[in-house]
Amino acid sequence: MTNRTIRIWTVIHKWTSLICTIFMLLLCLTGLPLIFHDEIEALTAEDTLPPMPADTPLKSLDEAVASALATYPGERPLFLSFDVDRPVVNVTTGPGARPPVSQMHISAIDLRTTRILADLNDDDGFMHVMLRLHVDLFAGLPGELFLGFMGFLLFLATLSGVVIYAPFMRKLSFGTVRAGRGRRLKWLDLHNMLGIVTLMWVVVVGLTGVINTLSVPLVAYWRANELAAMIAPYEGKPVPERFASVDAAVRTAMDAAPGMRPQFVAFPGVRFSSNHHYAVWLKGATPATNRILTPALIDAETGAFTDMRSMPWYMLALRLSQPLHFGDYGGLPMKILWAVLDLLTIVILGSGLYLWIARRRHAQGRVQDHAAAGSGLRAIAGEAAE
């Protein structure tokens, strides 16, 4: 490491950090409640199941969809998702196949009665605001891609910080904080130490966040390649005027993949399906496989099985990055750890901003001192000349 190399990495660290710091602070602050979104939603949930006998038979998925459509006349079904441990399905409807999110309606439906338990169209609640700020800054795809670029800058800032930290710590023990030598030096040591302690977490969460921002282009690429190959025989066929039974479509998909369970169903014409198929997205039944989804295509006109293929590596990376980003793999203990590391990252970002401001003030003070000293010398010289 030559002095020139260290200077280059220092410049990279300085500018990548300055550019992304404000946005990373926003993401860390909005990410805190999102880490505990399941727990918060459980506390504020309105869709509490009424008590009924355990052996109460379940209605069909078609009846649940009909209940949602009766609530929103003139709309069509878009998605149907399954609760993890309750006889509840969430049916999403809209005026067309791909309406704006603001025009979608999501109904939580009790499968025992097909009664709507709650309207999940909370587009101005606290958690919704936190999610939109965290995902796209209320700017849609441009906002997602912009935050992805900020995440990439965070990765460069972290990498460059490690590079310049190594020569800086040659003469100091790890974790040394020189608290008695001024506030700026103390915060510099804390900034460096916390940066190394949280290094792997920041890299993992930052890179998975970048992957998540690529969701829309990755799904579009999957549709143009993998999905197009699966539905080639149906090319040019329009969306059916009437759909076959969604309940039968789910059973057909499960028969084709024994041991797997449905995660959600995409109706014909939506982004996760084709114009002519139900896409029944299945997941594994074990902790090791329940994050891996496999789409089974069912002809929405005849109900016949069409094709089923494993997801390509890039879609698998997208799927696995989402729960890892929010610490959803290990239950509440892991979420608490994620929250602690998030708070430490806020301290790192804040201290980095403080160090930059303090250094600029120090440099400006030195310039003013030099200017004052120069003025004094000129005045003395003038008096001597007189």
Side-chain angles (χ1 to χ4, degrees):
M1 289 286 287
T2 64
N3 290 335
R4 182 174 179 275
T5 303
I6 293 175
R7 284 197 298 271
I8 292 173
W9 279 107
T10 300
V11 170
I12 293 173
H13 183 70
K14 172 185 175 182
W15 288 108
T16 54
S17 300
L18 286 176
I19 293 171
C20 75
T21 288
I22 297 300
F23 298 101
M24 289 301 107
L25 278 172
L26 172 66
L27 293 179
C28 286
L29 291 171
T30 55
L32 268 177
L34 293 176
I35 292 172
F36 300 101
H37 67 95
D38 289 332
E39 290 75 14
I40 293 173
E41 288 176 359
L43 292 174
T44 59
E46 300 177 2
D47 57 345
T48 304
L49 283 174
M52 293 182 71
D55 58 351
T56 301
L58 301 182
K59 305 291 185 179
S60 72
L61 298 179
D62 300 289
E63 292 174 288
V65 171
S67 177
L69 293 177
T71 306
Y72 299 102
E75 297 192 352
R76 56 152 290 175
L78 303 174
F79 299 99
L80 184 150
S81 62
F82 299 81
D83 262 26
V84 176
D85 53 4
R86 303 187 307 164
V88 174
V89 292
N90 304 307
V91 178
T92 304
T93 61
R98 299 189 189 181
V101 174
S102 59
Q103 296 181 18
M104 295 182 182
H105 298 103
I106 308 174
S107 305
I109 299 176
D110 186 346
L111 273 179
R112 302 169 303 175
T113 62
T114 70
R115 185 176 68 86
I116 294 181
L117 297 173
D119 183 347
L120 304 181
N121 309 304
D122 183 9
D123 58 358
D124 57 359
F126 173 75
M127 292 302 292
H128 175 79
V129 172
M130 292 296 100
L131 180 62
R132 288 297 306 275
L133 285 172
H134 194 86
V135 169
D136 61 10
L137 299 174
F138 287 93
L141 179 59
E144 286 189 50
L145 297 178
F146 174 78
L147 290 178
F149 179 62
M150 291 299 105
F152 176 70
L153 291 183
L154 174 67
F155 172 73
L156 289 181
T158 304
L159 176 63
S160 56
V162 173
V163 172
I164 62 179
Y165 181 74
F168 172 79
M169 290 300 294
R170 283 175 185 166
K171 298 180 180 180
L172 294 174
S173 301
F174 176 78
T176 297
V177 177
R178 293 165 289 182
R181 296 183 56 184
R183 179 185 298 176
R184 191 160 66 94
L185 192 59
K186 179 185 71 175
W187 276 108
L188 175 62
D189 288 343
L190 282 171
H191 178 82
N192 291 335
M193 181 189 68
L194 293 177
I196 293 298
V197 168
T198 60
L199 170 65
M200 289 307 301
W201 183 84
V202 170
V203 169
V204 168
V205 171
L207 291 181
T208 53
V210 171
I211 294 173
N212 288 338
T213 64
L214 300 176
S215 171
V216 172
L218 286 178
V219 171
Y221 184 79
W222 172 76
R223 285 183 58 88
N225 292 273
E226 301 291 331
L227 182 61
M230 295 170 71
I231 63 172
Y234 293 82
E235 186 176 359
K237 282 194 173 185
V239 176
E241 293 185 5
R242 298 186 65 181
F243 297 158
S245 167
V246 65
D247 201 86
V250 170
R251 289 198 303 270
T252 299
M254 294 178 67
D255 290 342
M260 301 187 77
R261 299 177 298 180
Q263 172 85 352
F264 73 95
V265 179
F267 283 74
V270 305
R271 191 162 66 102
F272 289 92
S273 185
S274 76
N275 283 341
H276 203 78
H277 291 85
Y278 290 117
V280 181
W281 291 76
L282 303 165
K283 63 180 180 179
T286 67
T289 60
N290 66 2
R291 301 288 183 179
I292 301 174
L293 298 183
T294 301
L297 296 184
I298 310 299
D299 190 313
E301 193 168 40
T302 66
F305 175 82
T306 297
D307 199 356
M308 180 172 61
R309 299 185 186 182
S310 299
M311 296 297 285
W313 67 268
Y314 53 88
M315 290 296 288
L316 185 60
L318 175 64
R319 175 61 185 166
L320 295 178
S321 70
Q322 291 170 345
L324 183 59
H325 185 71
F326 290 107
D328 284 347
Y329 277 115
L332 186 59
M334 189 170 180
K335 292 184 178 184
I336 293 173
L337 174 62
W338 246 234
V340 170
L341 291 168
D342 187 287
L343 290 170
L344 291 178
T345 303
I346 292 174
V347 174
I348 294 168
L349 294 168
S351 60
L353 193 59
Y354 160 75
L355 290 169
W356 178 73
I357 295 173
R359 185 170 183 176
R360 282 181 60 85
R361 288 178 177 175
H362 180 70
Q364 290 173 354
R366 292 181 63 183
V367 170
Q368 292 172 357
D369 290 342
H370 286 308
S375 299
L377 289 174
R378 285 194 295 273
I380 293 173
E383 292 175 2
E386 293 175 0

